[in-house]
Each structure stands twice: as structure tokens, then as C-alpha cells.
């Protein structure tokens, strides 16, 4: 309804009895969606049973403020998208809706903060996602009180500089204690927040199963310390992604060794400043790691040596190893090596942006591969035309699915 400007509140008939103060138009409505009504500037304010609200593609924040007014106390799920006029949520949203379990905010380009505080939301909110809000500058100071929170995702909030996690001081001395909270957090994802400098290590709680940190180039903390903390304090961690965080001239220091853990999927930066930490992780996940993505740089040549000992690895992706010219057999596995079981588990290999790569592993090493992805590797001589095969073709002709720069090419296996 591109021209709709007003959705009027129902009014009482002039002859209504004095004791009937409100006309309930939607006494049982539990789900409401408003989308693509860009000119809408008003909406009713009384939905006594509303549980789920989705509102998006509306320029003014007034419809949201009206619906989520002081009368709304029943909402459990709120999705907000593309409301340009929204600068903050209604102050009473969490105080009134103490059963609100899911809040998603996406593409609100003028949102500067959520609410002054989250009072009332700590016992119910399980999912908080904030995406593509470039003016968001702060999060509530009592974020740590969300004791039921299971998923926290922050993406593309370029002006967010810090994530609050206060401490409690008991006396005038330097005697501080961490405030308990976020004890149920299972998934934490913070990505592409360009100005974020501070990440409290206390967010990495024991219950965490998935941690993603990506595109945080101004983060001021040592990733080796953080990863060591995660590997030792988070026994349930199965997915870890740490990519595009500071490494250059700031080596990821690691103290001691990691105990064996159950990490299943790992995506991590791997250059001369972080390779020792990557090796330590691979050594601790020899029997559990199933998927691995290594992100190099234009100067990266060598792969971590522990890669050859991963016995459960099924998917390997290599990004931007700019100086690597040859991919050795031990990366994929070698049937003639009794100490290497990779050949029985590796099914997918992906190579992206390896500009100088010329030589692939032998056909024997890649016998069990099912899928091979190659993109932006211009020096690999695979297939020159409809019937011209390059020098590396014999190594891959048996693989059922081969993709070069996004296009599948026919192989003998087909």
C-alpha cells in the first residue's frame, strides 16, 4: 500500500456507555506484519494479544512506536527492517514485554542506540540480532543481564566502538568481581564492525558453542590470548571463525599448549603472525576437525604443518595464499603413508585467490575427492578450451564435480 499514510485508531461511538472506555478491534490477533507501506505515519495502539510483529519498509518510526506503546505487553517476537526514521526503540519495550524472546533489527540506517536499559528483558530474551545499522554507537550498559540470551549477532555496525561488560566494585580498593550474566549464550557473532576496539573476553562464556569474529580490523586485543581462553574455558565450542582481525606486526602470542577439544569447524586467518596459534589449534583438534578454512595473504606461501595430521578432515578451503606455487600431497592425503588417514576422509577441496599456484597434488592423493572448487587461480593449467586439457588435468579428471571460476566443467567421472 504505497500511498497509505494513516491507519486510524478505532473510536468509541458517541453514545457508548461511560464504563466502556476502549473498543477492542483485534481481541485475539497474535500476528501482525506491515511491509512496503513507506508513507505510513500512524497505526492503532491496542493489540491485547499480539505476540509477533514484523514491520519493515516504512519510513516513519511512528507506526512502530504506536503499536509498541505502553499498552502492548504480550509480544514475544519482534522483527524490524528498513525503518529510516528509527533512532531508538521505545523506552518501555522491555519493561512491558517481559516475554520478548526474539528481537531482530536490520537495515535501520539512523538507529543510534537500542534503549537506555534492558530492564525486564533479562529473563526472556533468547535471540538478539542487529544487522546493517551503520549509525549504531552503543549498546545498553546492562547487556550482561540477559541471562536467558542464547544468540547474539552484530553485523555491519560500523560505528560501534565497544561492547559493554561492567564490573562490580565492592570497596574503594581495586577489588572487582565480574557480574554474572550471559550464562546461556550459545552463539556469538560479531562481524564487520570497523571501529570496534574493545571485546570483553567475558562474552566467551562456558556455554558457547559457536564463535564468529570477522572484519574487526581495529580490535585491540591479542587473538592468541583470546583463542587460548576459548580452547581452555569453552568445552562445548564446536565452531570457531576468526578472520580479518589484526595480525600484521602483532603476532598472536600463545602460552602453553591446548588440550584436545571437540572443535568441528574452523575458519581462521593464517599468516606468518598467526601460524603458530593455528598449528596449536590443529594439534588439539586432530581427531575432531571436520571442516577447515585457512585465510592467507598475498605474501602467504607455507601451510601449517599440523594440517597433515588431521584424520577427520572432510572439507578444506584455502583463501589468498598468494605466494604458494605447489599444493603438496600431504595436504590432501597419501595412500602410501600409514600415518596419514586424510585420504580416507577428504571429500572437498576449495582453492580461492591463490594467484601463483601452478601444481596440484598427485592423482593418487586426490582419489577420494568428490568436489573441487578453483577460483581466481590464473596460473593453474587445467583446461584451455573445449578439447584442450592442461598439464594439471590428469590429476583431477576423475573427480565427479569440478568447478572453475564458478562454472562446472565435464570430467571423466561424469
Amino acid at each position: 500500500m504505497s500511498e497509505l499514510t494513516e491507519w486510524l485508531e478505532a473510536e468509541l461511538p458517541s453514545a457508548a456507555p461511560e464504563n466502556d472506555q476502549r473498543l477492542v478491534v483485534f481481541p485475539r490477533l497474535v500476528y501482525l506484519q506491515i511491509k512496503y507501506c513507506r508513507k505510513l505515519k500512524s497505526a492503532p495502539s491496542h493489540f491485547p494479544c499480539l505476540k509477533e510483529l514484523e514491520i519493515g519498509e516504512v519510513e516513519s518510526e511512528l507506526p512502530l512506536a504506536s503499536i509498541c506503546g505502553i499498552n502492548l505487553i504480550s509480544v514475544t517476537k519482534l522483527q524490524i527492517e528498513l525503518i529510516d526514521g528509527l533512532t531508538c526503540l521505545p523506552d518501555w519495550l522491555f519493561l512491558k514485554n517481559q516475554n520478548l524472546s526474539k528481537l531482530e533489527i536490520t537495515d535501520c540506517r539512523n538507529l543510534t542506540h537500542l534503549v537506555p536499559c534492558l530492564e525486564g528483558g533479562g529473563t526472556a530474551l533468547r535471540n538478539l540480532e542487529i544487522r546493517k545499522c551503520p549509525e549504531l554507537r552503543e549498546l545498553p550498559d546492562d547487556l550482561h543481564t540477559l541471562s536467558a540470551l542464547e544468540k547474539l549477532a552484530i553485523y555491519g555496525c560500523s560505528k560501534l566502538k565497544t561492547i559493554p561488560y561492567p564490573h562490580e566494585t565492592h570497596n574503594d580498593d581495586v577489588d572487582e568481581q565480574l557480574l554474572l550474566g550471559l550464562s546461556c549464550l550459545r552463539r556469538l557473532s560479531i562481524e564487520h564492525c570497523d571501529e570496534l576496539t574493545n571485546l570483553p573476553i567475558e562474552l566467551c562464556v562456558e556455554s558457547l558453542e559457536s564463535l564468529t569474529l570477522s572484519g574487526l580490523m581495529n580490535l585491540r586485543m591479542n587473538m592468541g590470548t583470546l583463542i587460548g581462553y576459548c580452547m581452555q574455558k569453552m568445552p562445548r565450542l564446536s565452531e570457531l571463525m576468526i578472520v580479518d582481525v589484526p595480525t600484521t606486526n602483532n603476532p598472536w602470542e600463545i602460552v602453553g599448549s591446548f588440550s584436545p577439544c571437540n572443535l568441528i569447524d574452523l575458519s581462521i586467518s593464517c599468516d606468518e603472525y598467526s601460524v603458530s596459534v593455528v598449528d596449536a589449534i590443529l594439534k588439539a583438534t586432530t581427531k575432531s576437525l571436520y571442516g577447515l578454512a585457512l585465510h592467507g595473504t598475498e605474501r602467504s606461501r607455507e601451510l601449517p604443518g599440523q594440517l597433515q595430521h588431521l584424520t577427520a578432515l572432510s572439507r578444506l578451503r584455502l583463501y589468498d595464499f598468494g605466494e604458494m606455487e605447489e599444493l603438496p600431497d600431504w595436504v590432501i592425503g597419501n595412500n602410501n603413508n600409514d600415518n596419514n588417514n586424510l585420504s580416507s576422509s577428504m571429500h572437498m577441496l576449495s582453492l580461492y585467490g591463490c594467484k601463483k599456484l601452478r601444481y596440484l597434488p598427485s592423482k593418487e592423493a586426490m582419489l577420494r575427492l568428490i568436489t573441487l572448487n578453483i577460483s581466481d587461480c590464473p596460473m593453474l593449467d587445467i583446461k584451455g578450451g573445449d578439447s584442450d586439457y592442461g598439464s594439471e588435468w590428469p590429476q583431477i579428471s576423475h573427480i565427479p564435480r569440478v568447478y572453475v571460476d564458478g562454472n562446472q566443467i565435464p570430467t571423466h567421472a561424469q
Side-chain angles (χ1 to χ4, degrees):
M1 300 182 182
S2 59
E3 298 300 319
L4 181 67
T5 58
E6 292 184 283
W7 180 8
L8 299 178
E9 189 88 55
E11 297 182 1
L12 289 172
S14 58
E18 292 183 2
N19 59 352
D20 183 9
Q21 296 298 316
R22 178 176 288 118
L23 179 62
V24 181
V25 181
F26 295 106
R28 297 183 182 180
L29 187 69
V30 296
Y31 173 78
L32 172 61
Q33 182 189 63
I34 302 174
K35 296 196 76 173
Y36 311 116
C37 301
R38 296 199 64 84
K39 295 183 180 181
L40 187 64
K41 297 186 182 301
S42 67
S45 61
H46 188 62
F47 297 91
C49 295
L50 189 64
K51 293 185 179 298
E52 297 186 21
L53 172 62
E54 297 180 19
I55 180 169
E57 294 279 358
V58 179
E59 293 181 356
S60 173
E61 83 285 4
L62 295 177
L64 173 66
S66 179
I67 296 171
C68 294
I70 58 176
N71 293 321
L72 185 63
I73 61 174
S74 57
V75 69
T76 61
K77 179 181 177 181
L78 177 58
Q79 291 180 268
I80 303 169
E81 183 177 8
L82 287 164
I83 301 183
D84 292 345
L86 184 66
T87 58
C88 66
L89 299 178
D91 290 350
W92 50 79
L93 178 65
F94 290 96
L95 181 62
K96 292 288 186 178
N97 294 276
Q98 298 194 11
N99 292 314
L100 181 60
S101 63
K102 185 174 185 178
L103 174 61
E104 296 180 9
I105 306 174
T106 306
D107 281 310
C108 292
R109 62 182 183 180
N110 292 308
L111 184 76
T112 58
H113 62 283
L114 297 186
V115 288
C117 63
L118 295 164
E119 56 180 333
T123 59
L125 193 62
R126 295 182 179 180
N127 191 328
L128 176 59
E129 300 181 40
I130 308 168
R131 302 181 183 277
K132 299 181 183 178
C133 297
E135 293 298 322
L136 183 69
R137 300 173 184 271
E138 59 183 33
L139 295 173
D141 287 340
D142 56 350
L143 182 71
H144 65 281
T145 64
L146 299 177
S147 59
L149 195 65
E150 296 179 1
K151 179 180 180 180
L152 175 61
I154 304 172
Y155 179 95
C157 299
S158 56
K159 292 190 178 179
L160 184 66
K161 293 186 177 181
T162 184
I163 296 178
Y165 202 103
H167 296 69
E168 184 179 27
T169 303
H170 295 282
N171 51 48
D172 294 335
D173 299 329
V174 184
D175 181 14
E176 294 183 339
Q177 179 180 355
L178 294 179
L179 295 174
L180 297 178
L182 302 180
S183 57
C184 293
L185 194 62
R186 297 170 53 198
R187 305 185 68 85
L188 174 62
S189 175
I190 304 175
E191 302 181 73
H192 301 289
C193 297
D194 300 339
E195 294 188 15
L196 187 69
T197 59
N198 173 54
L199 179 68
I201 201 168
E202 294 83 14
L203 291 176
C204 300
V205 293
E206 184 176 339
S207 59
L208 213 58
E209 299 172 5
S210 174
L211 173 62
T212 297
L213 303 176
S214 175
L216 310 177
M217 292 309 297
N218 283 305
L219 199 60
R220 297 173 185 170
M221 65 186 308
N222 188 286
M223 286 295 109
T225 302
L226 174 64
I227 294 171
Y229 182 91
C230 294
M231 300 288 283
Q232 295 168 11
K233 302 292 186 181
M234 296 157 56
R236 301 178 185 177
L237 189 67
S238 62
E239 299 176 6
L240 177 62
M241 178 178 181
I242 298 184
V243 176
D244 291 334
V245 294
T247 60
T248 307
N249 299 325
N250 180 26
W252 292 5
E253 298 176 3
I254 179 173
V255 179
S257 59
F258 298 150
S259 301
C261 65
N262 296 316
L263 199 65
I264 295 174
D265 203 302
L266 173 66
S267 182
I268 193 166
S269 296
C270 184
D271 56 22
E272 64 268 35
Y273 301 101
S274 59
V275 67
S276 62
V277 174
V278 175
D279 257 328
I281 298 175
L282 299 185
K283 186 175 183 180
T285 58
T286 298
K287 297 180 179 180
S288 66
L289 201 62
Y290 180 84
L292 174 63
L294 298 177
H295 296 254
T297 69
E298 60 183 12
R299 297 183 302 276
S300 297
R301 178 187 297 271
E302 304 294 334
L303 295 170
Q306 286 293 330
L307 180 59
Q308 61 189 302
H309 301 299
L310 301 178
T311 59
L313 193 66
S314 179
R315 302 190 309 263
L316 175 63
R317 291 170 290 163
L318 302 178
Y319 294 86
D320 301 319
F321 280 78
E323 291 293 326
M324 183 173 63
E325 297 184 7
E326 180 178 0
L327 199 61
D329 281 13
W330 57 260
V331 172
I332 307 299
N334 190 330
N335 286 323
N336 297 322
N337 187 347
D338 294 335
N339 295 322
N340 193 325
N341 296 321
L342 271 177
S343 57
S344 63
S345 59
M346 178 77 76
H347 292 150
M348 186 181 80
L349 173 66
S350 300
L351 307 169
Y352 303 102
C354 300
K355 304 287 188 181
K356 295 184 178 181
L357 183 64
R358 293 176 177 270
Y359 306 108
L360 294 172
S362 66
K363 180 177 180 178
E364 290 73 22
M366 298 199 291
L367 272 178
R368 295 185 180 271
L369 277 187
I370 296 174
T371 302
L372 174 65
N373 295 302
I374 299 172
S375 182
D376 196 20
C377 300
M379 304 301 290
L380 269 181
D381 187 15
I382 295 174
K383 193 170 184 290
D386 293 338
S387 59
D388 297 329
Y389 299 107
S391 60
E392 298 304 295
W393 177 253
Q395 283 91 301
I396 68 171
S397 62
H398 65 284
I399 301 174
R401 293 190 293 269
V402 176
Y403 300 87
V404 177
D405 293 325
N407 300 312
Q408 186 172 9
I409 62 175
T411 65
H412 296 162
Q414 297 169 351

